[in-house]
Amino acid sequence: MSEKDPRQVVSGPQKMTPSEAFVETMVANGVTDMFGIMGSAFMDAMDIFAPAGIRLIPVVHEQGAGHMADGYSRVSGRHGVVIGQNGPGISNCVTSIAAAYWAHSPVVIVTPETGTMTMGLGGFQECKQLPMFQEFTKYQGHVTNPARIAEFTGRCFDRAMSEMGPTQLNIPRDYFYGEITCEIPQPSRLDRGAGGEQSLNEAAEILATAKFPVIISGGGVVMADAIEECKALAEWLGAPVVNSYLHNDSFPASHPLWCGPLGYQGSKAAMKLMSQADVVIALGSRLGPFGTLPQHGMDYWPKNAKIIQIDADNKMLGLVKKISVGICGDAKAAAVALTQRLADRALECDATKAQRAGKIAAEKAAWERELDEWTHERDPFSLDMIEENANERPFSGGEYLHPRQVLRELEKAMPPDVMVSTDIGNINSVANSYLRFEKPRSFFAAMSFGNCGYAFPTIIGAKVAAPHRPAVSYAGDGAWGMSLMETMTCVRHNIPVTAVVFHNRQWGAEKKNQVDFYNRRFVAGELDNQSFAAIARAMGAEGITVDRLEDVGPALQRAIDLQMTQGKTCIIEIMCTRELGDPFRRDALSKPVRLLDKYKDYV
């Protein structure tokens, strides 16, 4: 075997096979890990992954592979790569690529396709793979000739980074074979700027006269590694900083100007301060509609405030909210440019810095007290469930726990430098109030696509990218059922993570709608589960069942210790009451109307 460096890419035009050109182009783009399930469609290329220094991590289901690639890219800032067998192996990835699209993750999905000589004949595992992903990719590269495989591969990797989203590389399976002459393209990366001079100057003029500016620190701040620049701008203005929805890692929670997240189950402190803003700086945020909806009974968005929106994608500027100035630029560069423009100016908000700092501290303290006292939900249904559950005992023999108390205890026990992913569901959403981070690339959620089964495989991918960091996922028992099989991936391939499963025996988020709109007529919402801790042990992982509040923190600490010192995956099953937090949104349904006599009682 050759002793040459497997990561050294061949240079200049050379004869090679298309498989070699494909693999060499991935090496040129720094690919060291891929996720997927082996298949004959790309086996010729797969045969040389290892000598090229590329590890293919086999998963249990391809949807999990897509989520792992998503988590990998969000932690590392590099490409996540997923591959599978043509047809069903590829169609299984659609949901996870959609989630990556709304997370702006640079995931490249490689989709080997039916061979060109049988395409259209209805052969085995044949389907049209480009239409499947057209709504959820920034670019689709279809290899039209084996000689162009390196070209299209390189372009997919370039576009994933330049447009910050998934791309698809579609390769007919017979195009991996043969002999071609080509040159491996070098990666091309954009050097993003701060934005147009005119828009930056206009924004600076608005900020100079602002009395109560508020900064929304969005996902773009994380992607641009712009935390320090956001801090500098906030400190110069004395402005409270709120996290955009599900980007709780976009500003350090220990900073005195941090106020917590907006959006569903977010921080009341953040919302109350936002409502007082006369100028809002949306730094690296598309201001998505779900993240600015009324919450906690507050319609907090400041209707008369001037909005300065900064986003690297010009199509996002003013799309959701009316804005005063739109800056198409990099979050880091734009924050620096604005801070520089304000440095030598007298600011109207200077005179009230101390007063506003006191108000920020007071609102945060009030919210923390409320969270401490908010031990359980107080709506009539939840109170009924609490009473009912008090007379029951889980199979483990202890008691059912209040989700809010559980979330508070988990928060207190979180280790430094932790990475956390959350799934979709009622308890996971309530967790938004309790998850705080000190550094970026630490928090991962399914964002606007909102698919169940997201959190666990995503944190597996994150752990592969950052094995030195503790990795924890949250999921309800419904979502856990869609992803628990990837426990075998962790055990088989020595990827230790910790999964917290909230076992409340129901599809809670949707069931809440049946409470609010359908007079507690529950259809298909109940889940009669076995012990998830026992299932984990059967899969070769550790499993802990928690049914006492005082055991929540120690269980998490024990699981983290198993992960970090013994390399073991641990599933923590927490037995929770059936109480339910507020619904995702109250305007999405209407009270039922029945016109036929046979259904007249169903209102």
Side-chain angles (χ1 to χ4, degrees), residues 22-45:
F22 164 64
V23 172
E24 285 289 290
T25 308
M26 288 200 295
V27 173
N29 280 275
V31 176
T32 56
D33 299 284
M34 300 172 68
F35 304 90
I37 294 179
M38 65 179 297
S40 59
F42 62 98
M43 196 164 284
D44 190 69

Side-chain angles (χ1 to χ4, degrees), residues 47-76:
D47 186 53
I48 57 173
F49 283 176
I54 296 173
R55 173 175 59 156
L56 175 61
I57 298 175
V59 302
V60 179
H61 190 281
E62 290 91 351
Q63 179 176 328
H67 289 316
M68 290 176 204
D70 185 356
Y72 184 97
S73 71
R74 291 177 74 176
V75 171
S76 66

Side-chain angles (χ1 to χ4, degrees), residues 477-518:
D477 44 7
W480 183 245
M482 294 187 181
S483 54
L484 64 84
M485 62 280 192
E486 298 300 345
T487 305
M488 291 189 286
T489 299
C490 296
V491 173
R492 288 167 174 167
H493 306 293
N494 192 29
I495 308 170
V497 300
T498 299
V500 177
V501 182
F502 304 109
H503 191 157
N504 65 353
R505 302 163 293 153
Q506 61 189 356
W507 287 105
E510 295 301 341
K511 189 175 176 180
K512 179 64 173 174
N513 292 320
Q514 294 175 323
V515 173
D516 291 346
F517 290 90
Y518 294 96

Side-chain angles (χ1 to χ4, degrees), residues 73-185:
S73 71
R74 291 177 74 176
V75 171
S76 66
R78 299 161 50 200
H79 297 96
V81 187
V82 57
I83 195 168
Q85 176 72 356
N86 61 272
I90 299 306
S91 64
N92 280 347
C93 294
V94 172
T95 295
S96 51
I97 296 303
Y101 178 84
W102 287 108
H104 308 286
S105 299
V107 170
V108 177
I109 177 168
V110 182
T111 59
E113 188 178 59
T114 299
T116 56
M117 295 304 293
T118 58
M119 177 62 72
L121 301 180
F124 184 61
Q125 296 181 329
E126 177 186 335
C127 63
K128 294 181 179 179
Q129 296 177 166
L130 292 169
M132 291 182 191
F133 297 95
Q134 64 185 9
E135 295 295 323
F136 303 121
T137 48
K138 296 290 188 177
Y139 172 75
Q140 293 177 293
H142 174 66
V143 178
T144 56
N145 187 286
R148 300 184 68 187
I149 194 167
E151 171 197 342
F152 279 107
T153 302
R155 188 171 299 130
C156 282
F157 278 86
D158 288 344
R159 293 283 183 90
M161 281 296 179
S162 65
E163 301 194 33
M164 291 309 294
T167 58
Q168 178 185 6
L169 176 61
N170 198 62
I171 309 172
R173 58 185 294 160
D174 51 319
Y175 282 4
F176 286 103
Y177 302 92
E179 183 180 298
I180 60 174
T181 299
C182 75
E183 184 172 0
I184 304 303

Side-chain angles (χ1 to χ4, degrees), residues 131-288:
M132 291 182 191
F133 297 95
Q134 64 185 9
E135 295 295 323
F136 303 121
T137 48
K138 296 290 188 177
Y139 172 75
Q140 293 177 293
H142 174 66
V143 178
T144 56
N145 187 286
R148 300 184 68 187
I149 194 167
E151 171 197 342
F152 279 107
T153 302
R155 188 171 299 130
C156 282
F157 278 86
D158 288 344
R159 293 283 183 90
M161 281 296 179
S162 65
E163 301 194 33
M164 291 309 294
T167 58
Q168 178 185 6
L169 176 61
N170 198 62
I171 309 172
R173 58 185 294 160
D174 51 319
Y175 282 4
F176 286 103
Y177 302 92
E179 183 180 298
I180 60 174
T181 299
C182 75
E183 184 172 0
I184 304 303
Q186 292 303 302
S188 174
R189 299 292 179 262
L190 285 181
D191 184 12
R192 301 183 193 275
E197 287 293 310
Q198 181 178 336
S199 57
L200 286 165
N201 290 336
E202 289 176 2
E205 289 297 323
I206 291 173
L207 287 170
T209 58
K211 294 181 175 63
F212 201 107
V214 175
I215 296 175
I216 300 175
S217 185
V221 172
V222 175
M223 291 178 236
D225 294 321
I227 300 293
E228 292 303 315
E229 291 73 17
C230 181
K231 282 167 60 176
L233 180 59
E235 289 166 1
W236 192 256
L237 295 167
V241 180
V242 303
N243 307 108
S244 67
Y245 182 54
L246 297 179
H247 289 294
N248 299 27
D249 58 346
S250 64
F251 201 77
S254 61
H255 195 285
L257 293 174
W258 171 83
C259 300
L262 296 179
Y264 182 41
Q265 295 289 352
S267 162
K268 284 188 180 181
M271 296 173 197
K272 288 179 179 179
L273 292 162
M274 174 63 71
S275 70
Q276 301 173 54
D278 63 339
V279 175
V280 175
I281 310 165
L283 184 60
S285 173
R286 69 184 186 91
L287 296 176

